[in-house]
Amino acid sequence: MEEFSLTNSEWYVLDCLWGQEPRTAMELVAQLGEKVGWAKSTTITTLRRMEDKGLVSVEVAGPDQIRTPPPWTRQKAVQGETRSFWTRYTRAAWG
């Protein structure tokens, strides 16, 4: 199973996408502004970084960009984060 190391900001974005995709960038700006108080620039910067990391993809369809679903489900991401945590924990505890 793939290990994940997602930031809190990445989790916020993915949480908005899972089950509600595709979404436009402006829909995400509005939702994240309401949910966590982000400005438009914070949302756009986070989306660009996530795109560079392969966490989201963009499809140009008309005047706005469409964010397509993440390449894995919420369940797979949680399992990957749990595995990553366990690996770090066991290394720290038992060298």
Side-chain angles (χ1 to χ4, degrees):
M1 172 167 298
E2 186 176 349
E3 288 189 12
F4 292 78
S5 183
L6 300 171
T7 66
N8 287 339
S9 297
E10 292 165 348
W11 274 105
Y12 293 145
V13 172
L14 294 174
D15 189 49
C16 291
L17 286 172
W18 279 314
Q20 300 178 28
E21 67 278 338
R23 306 290 301 271
T24 66
M26 290 300 102
E27 288 171 333
L28 288 171
V29 165
Q31 188 172 4
L32 289 163
E34 186 176 306
K35 185 175 182 176
V36 291
W38 284 3
K40 177 181 175 181
S41 60
T42 302
T43 301
I44 299 301
T45 298
T46 302
L47 287 168
R48 284 187 186 135
R49 289 179 181 159
M50 290 178 72
E51 185 179 15
D52 291 344
K53 290 171 76 173
L55 299 175
V56 296
S57 58
V58 177
E59 175 184 326
V60 178
D64 204 356
Q65 297 176 337
I66 305 295
R67 302 290 160 174
T68 57
W72 14 258
T73 64
R74 180 189 310 266
Q75 180 180 356
K76 185 175 177 186
V78 169
Q79 289 172 340
E81 281 280 349
T82 302
R83 184 179 185 95
S84 176
F85 168 79
W86 184 251
T87 299
R88 289 190 314 272
Y89 172 76
T90 56
R91 284 184 191 150
W94 293 289

